[in-house]
């Protein structure tokens, strides 16, 4: 009987299945499978000499752990996206797997806060890459209790790779959302998917990161700390959720031994529980756990910032270091500067129309809106000390799309919300923050004024953490649900005052696979705003298979946050052709920002009435 059918009957649970002996067989097949992908040469990019040995070591180790391993390495022929998909489709189709591991070693880049793996024909063929974020979405619907992605990809800037138009492929089959059978998806990445400043140029990336991460990952099972080891079914193992601290420490140590100063730290986002593991311990006696390192990471910085505002959703063990030490690191990596830029953004208290935008950091030369509304640039600003003022006349509409053009030809698309003033902060790479506050002459003002200081601090901490790729709810499902409930209590009264808090919450809930909480945010915001933000509606599944086209939403006509672009296909959302074409011109910013070519496409479509 296939697992999907078995679970649907309610006969067992994923938790019970995860506890079964890992080397068991069924129907001639092993219950654990792995796809090991190695691409040392992508297009005309430099050869990564460590790929072959790294993939061989990982494949041999997995086979020794009882996995059925398929090796897709470019030693003899190119690695193609269709080949990866076919192998994974076969594994998923069996309906009997307990665990599936996907390992990749090769060139990688970041687009819209999602990692992409370059295959043999990339970047010339924009489809010959793997879109990790989208593949994670589909992996959750695979009915395999645990899916693990391990990426030893050197993270380079898209510009240094020529990958501006590479969108990649999805490597899991599209089986539709199944709420009763959700996979725990664990991700082990060589670098955080955060601020573009943490990326490095191609040559530096190749020299610095090759082979380090894979060696450290395998070392976790050969030389684990004693606190990492658990006994499951009589075997001494290292659970997935015990790997994070070890990898952070060992990757840094190995890099320093090679005289490499890392600007990236490895990332582990684990949603499985204590009994889920990949490998057994291979030494008789694990090493004593070392003292905590005295150098904080961005995880410590983000964890402390969220904890201070009552949003402790990360699992960072705070306080493990003095706050002064963490504050020094926060200033050194730019976290403090980013947070201060949000807190110090100029505010305009009201427009006579109760609706508009204040833009700091860029001169606004153009504003075009939904044809049913009216918009006017009152003050262009100077991009430095003088903010731009953009007034919107809602004309009876609850919301609409507004395209803001900046003096360098780039721009952003934001949502105009009746009764709110949007504060837009533009940095070197694009829009780094958008927040909404009620206009002083709007009925919401009194509530905002009462909670103003706390709202501003909460928003600055959340927005900055999101910019560095760390605003997420960690832990196994039970603890994630508890953290989500606590976080919801923290912002529930505020979501109607600052809609971006609801937006960030929806993304965090979605990343944690907490579908009910996403739908709760959608309903709350719809009642309060009389419209849907496109991102929230997409995350809640309200746009799947069709595109709503009524007078009240969703708004704007494209995702507000850059990471939303990497969910469009996996969520089955149909975008207007002009929006799809403009995607090729996205800039690396937290909030959707378009280069001049993309703004030209969108403004023309808005003026001609083809977009709302």
């Amino acid at each position: 009987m296939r697992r999907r059918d078995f679970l649907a009957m309610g006969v067992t649970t994923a938790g019970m299945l995860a506890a079964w002996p890992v080397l068991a067989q069924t129907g001639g097949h092993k219950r654990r499978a792995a796809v090991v992908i190695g691409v040392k040469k992508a297009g005309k990019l430099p050869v990564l000499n460590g790929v072959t040995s790294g993939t061989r070591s990982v494949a041999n180790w997995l086979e020794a752990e009882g996995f059925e391993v398929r090796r897709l390495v470019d030693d003899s022929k190119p690695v193609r996206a269709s080949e990866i998909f076919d192998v994974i489709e076969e594994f998923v189709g069996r309906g009997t797997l307990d665990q599936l591991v996907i390992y990749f070693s090769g060139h990688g880049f970041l687009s819209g806060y999602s990692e992409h793996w370059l295959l043999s024909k990339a970047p010339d063929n924009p489809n010959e890459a793997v879109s990790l974020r989208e593949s994670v979405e589909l992996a959750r619907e695979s009915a395999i209790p645990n899916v693990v992605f391990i990426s030893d990809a050197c993270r380079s800037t898209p510009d240094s790779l020529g990958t501006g138009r590479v969108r990649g492929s999805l490597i899991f089959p599209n089986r539709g959302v199944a709420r009763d059978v959700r996979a725990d998806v664990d991700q082990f990445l060589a670098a955080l998917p955060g601020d573009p400043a943490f990326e490095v140029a191609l040559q530096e990336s190749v020299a610095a990161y090759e082979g380090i991460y894979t060696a450290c990952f395998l070392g976790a099972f050969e030389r684990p700390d004693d606190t990492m080891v658990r006994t499951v079914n009589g075997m001494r193992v290292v659970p997935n959720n015990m790997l994070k601290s070890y990898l952070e420490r060992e990757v840094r140590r190995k890099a320093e031994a090679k005289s490499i100063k890392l600007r990236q730290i490895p990332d582990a986002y684990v949603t499985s529980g204590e009994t889920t593991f990949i490998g057994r311990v291979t030494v008789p006696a694990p090493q004593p756990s070392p003292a905590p390192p005295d150098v904080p990471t961005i995880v410590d910085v983000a964890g402390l910032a969220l904890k201070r505002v009552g949003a402790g959703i990360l699992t960072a063990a705070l306080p493990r270091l003095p706050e002064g030490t963490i504050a020094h690191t926060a200033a050194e990596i730019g976290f403090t500067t980013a947070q201060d830029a949000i807190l110090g953004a100029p505010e305009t208290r009201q427009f006579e129309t109760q609706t508009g935008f204040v833009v700091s950091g860029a001169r606004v030369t153009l504003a075009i809106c939904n044809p049913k509304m009216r918009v006017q640039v009152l003050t262009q600003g100077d991009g430095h000390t003088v903010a731009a003022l953009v007034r919107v006349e809602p004309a009876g509409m609850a919301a609409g799309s507004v395209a803001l053009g900046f003096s360098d030809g780039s721009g952003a698309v934001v949502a105009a919300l009746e009764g709110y003033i949007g504060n837009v902060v533009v940095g070197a790479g694009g829009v780094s923050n958008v927040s909404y506050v009620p206009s002083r002459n709007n009925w919401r003002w009194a509530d905002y004024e009462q909670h103003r200081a706390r709202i501003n601090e909460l928003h600055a901490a959340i927005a900055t953490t999101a910019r560095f790729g760390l605003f997420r709810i960690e832990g196994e499902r039970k603890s994630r649900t508890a953290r989500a409930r606590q976080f919801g209590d923290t912002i529930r009264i505020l979501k109607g005052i600052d809609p971006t808090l609801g937006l960030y919450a929806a993304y965090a809930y979605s990343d944690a696979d907490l579908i009910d909480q996403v739908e709760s945010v959608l309903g709350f915001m719809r009642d309060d705003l009389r419209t849907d933000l496109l991102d929230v509606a997409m995350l809640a599944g309200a746009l799947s298979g069709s595109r709503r086209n009524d007078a009240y939403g969703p708004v704007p006509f494209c995702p507000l946050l850059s990471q939303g672009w990497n969910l469009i296909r996996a969520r089955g959302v149909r975008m207007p052709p002009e929006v799809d074409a403009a995607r090729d011109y996205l800039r690396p910013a937290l909030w959707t920002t378009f280069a001049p070519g993309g703004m030209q496409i969108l403004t023309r479509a808005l003026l001609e009435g083809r977009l709302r």
Side-chain angles (χ1 to χ4, degrees):
M1 180 181 292
R2 294 159 54 89
R3 167 169 285 105
R4 185 183 298 272
D5 302 327
F6 195 48
L7 292 177
M9 293 169 60
V11 178
T12 188
T13 66
M16 292 168 59
L17 288 166
W20 286 358
V22 295
L23 303 182
Q25 307 276 335
T26 180
H29 292 298
K30 298 179 180 181
R31 292 192 182 279
R32 303 207 298 172
V35 183
V36 176
I37 307 163
V39 181
K40 62 184 177 183
K41 185 69 169 72
K44 301 179 179 64
L45 300 178
V47 174
L48 298 172
N49 293 313
V51 167
T52 300
S53 60
T55 52
R56 184 187 303 116
S57 296
V58 171
N60 291 342
W61 168 64
L62 290 170
E63 286 176 341
E65 290 299 322
F67 283 82
E68 177 184 347
V69 178
R70 301 289 181 87
R71 306 180 190 220
L72 302 176
V73 185
D74 62 349
D75 286 337
S76 58
K77 65 175 183 177
V79 177
R80 306 298 295 264
S82 59
E83 185 180 14
I84 299 172
F85 177 87
D86 289 343
V87 171
I88 293 177
E89 183 183 38
E90 178 196 340
F91 283 144
V92 173
R94 290 180 185 177
T96 57
L97 290 184
D98 293 334
Q99 187 177 52
L100 176 62
V101 172
I102 297 97
Y103 168 88
F104 174 80
S105 179
H107 283 288
F109 73 96
L110 194 73
S111 176
Y113 281 66
S114 174
E115 184 171 299
H116 290 67
W117 302 338
L118 295 180
L119 304 179
S120 300
K121 298 296 183 179
D124 288 346
N125 186 333
N127 301 306
E128 287 299 317
V130 174
S131 174
L132 180 59
R133 184 66 183 83
E134 292 176 290
S135 296
V136 166
E137 282 292 306
L138 295 184
R140 287 175 176 157
E141 302 166 7
S142 65
I144 299 173
N146 181 230
V147 178
V148 183
F149 290 90
I150 306 170
S151 168
D152 193 355
C154 56
R155 174 74 54 73
S156 304
T157 56
D159 290 344
S160 67
L161 293 172
T163 56
R165 296 184 177 182
V166 174
R167 300 187 187 180
S169 297
L170 285 66
I171 56 174
F172 270 75
N174 181 18
R175 298 292 174 86
V177 177
R179 290 202 179 195
D180 55 339
V181 187
R182 304 292 291 179
D184 285 327
V185 179
D186 299 333
Q187 301 173 61
F188 296 96
L189 312 179
L192 279 167
D195 192 285
F198 278 76
E199 299 172 24
V200 293
L202 176 61
Q203 296 301 329
E204 182 181 353
S205 178
V206 172
Y209 303 109
E210 187 173 14
I212 290 178
Y213 186 74
T214 292
C216 291
F217 195 92
L218 294 175
F221 302 89
E222 299 167 354
R223 300 176 300 278
D225 304 335
D226 53 11
T227 56
M228 297 165 56
V229 179
R230 300 289 185 272
T231 299
V232 178
N233 292 336
M235 295 178 293
R236 295 165 65 250
V237 303
V238 178
N240 296 354
N241 63 6
M242 291 288 108
L243 290 168
K244 183 172 185 176
S245 296
Y246 178 94
L247 291 171
E248 286 181 11
R249 182 188 78 228
E250 290 301 307
V251 168
R252 175 183 291 171
R253 184 189 62 79
K254 189 173 283 290
E256 290 174 350
K258 292 186 176 182
S259 299
I260 299 170
K261 185 177 180 181
L262 286 180
R263 289 193 291 166
Q264 294 175 318
I265 63 172
D267 187 26
Y269 186 19
V270 179
T271 63
S272 60
E274 286 283 335
T275 61
T276 301
F277 61 93
I278 303 172
R280 295 165 292 179
V281 177
T282 59
V283 294
Q287 302 177 17
S289 298
D294 58 359
V295 180
T297 67
I298 179 60
V299 178
D300 300 307
V301 172
L304 180 59
L306 292 175
K307 185 177 180 180
R308 282 174 171 170
V309 297
I313 58 176
L314 297 179
T315 57
L318 296 169
R320 69 179 181 87
L321 294 169
E323 290 193 7
T325 304
I326 296 177
H328 177 77
T329 299
E332 187 177 50
I333 64 177
F335 192 97
T336 302
T337 300
Q339 196 168 10
D340 289 346
I342 296 172
L343 289 169
E347 288 187 6
T348 291
R349 302 294 180 85
Q350 68 181 59
F351 291 101
E352 64 272 23
T353 61
Q354 300 188 10
T355 310
F357 296 93
V358 181
V359 183
S360 58
R363 187 162 62 90
V364 176
T365 57
L366 175 72
I368 305 174
C369 67
N370 182 317
K372 296 183 179 180
M373 305 173 75
R374 290 183 290 276
V375 64
Q376 181 181 3
V377 178
L378 300 180
T379 304
Q380 288 190 349
D382 62 4
H384 301 286
T385 58
V386 179
L389 302 179
V390 180
R391 181 178 63 198
V392 176
E393 297 181 43
M397 295 189 65
S401 302
V402 175
L404 301 173
F406 308 139
S407 57
D408 65 352
S410 68
V413 176
V414 289
L417 303 175
E418 183 184 22
Y420 285 95
I421 298 172
N423 290 304
V424 181
V425 179
V426 184
V431 177
S432 60
N433 182 66
V434 177
S435 61
Y436 291 89
V437 299
S439 178
R440 181 185 286 271
N441 50 348
N442 182 267
W443 62 270
R444 293 183 175 92
W445 172 260
D447 283 341
Y448 170 72
E449 184 68 9
Q450 179 182 355
H451 300 284
R452 181 179 176 185
R454 178 148 183 262
I455 293 171
N456 290 346
E457 290 176 359
L458 184 63
H459 183 271
I462 291 174
T464 308
T465 302
R467 177 177 173 179
F468 281 81
L470 280 168
F471 187 69
R472 62 197 187 195
I473 302 171
E474 297 187 330
E476 51 87 25
R477 183 168 293 275
K478 185 177 180 180
S479 64
R480 292 201 310 273
T481 302
R483 288 191 178 100
R485 186 178 298 111
Q486 182 181 28
F487 178 64
D489 292 341
T490 300
I491 69 168
R492 183 165 293 114
I493 191 173
L494 307 178
K495 276 190 281 192
I497 300 171
D498 183 351
T500 50
L501 292 178
L503 177 67
Y504 286 129
Y507 272 102
Y509 293 154
S510 177
D511 285 345
D513 199 30
L514 301 173
I515 303 174
D516 291 343
Q517 283 83 346
V518 179
E519 292 178 344
S520 176
V521 172
L522 177 68
F524 189 97
M525 297 182 72
R526 180 180 293 174
D527 291 343
D528 188 66
L529 302 176
R530 295 187 296 124
T531 191
D532 293 341
L533 295 183
L534 184 140
D535 304 56
V536 180
M538 175 176 64
L539 295 170
L543 303 182
S544 300
S546 63
R547 182 73 161 83
R548 286 181 59 187
N549 191 31
D550 58 56
Y552 299 102
V555 294
F557 52 71
C558 65
L560 284 162
L561 292 185
S562 293
Q563 59 188 293
W565 291 88
N566 290 304
L567 295 172
I568 290 173
R569 287 185 299 181
R571 298 282 177 163
V573 180
R574 301 173 186 172
M575 284 291 172
E578 297 85 358
V579 174
D580 187 64
R583 179 178 177 176
D584 290 336
Y585 298 90
L586 284 173
R587 284 191 163 176
L590 176 61
W591 289 74
T592 292
T593 308
F594 296 98
M599 286 302 295
Q600 291 172 10
I601 295 171
L602 296 177
T603 53
R604 187 183 309 116
L606 268 171
L607 289 171
E608 295 174 358
R610 287 180 280 119
L611 293 175
R612 294 186 296 104

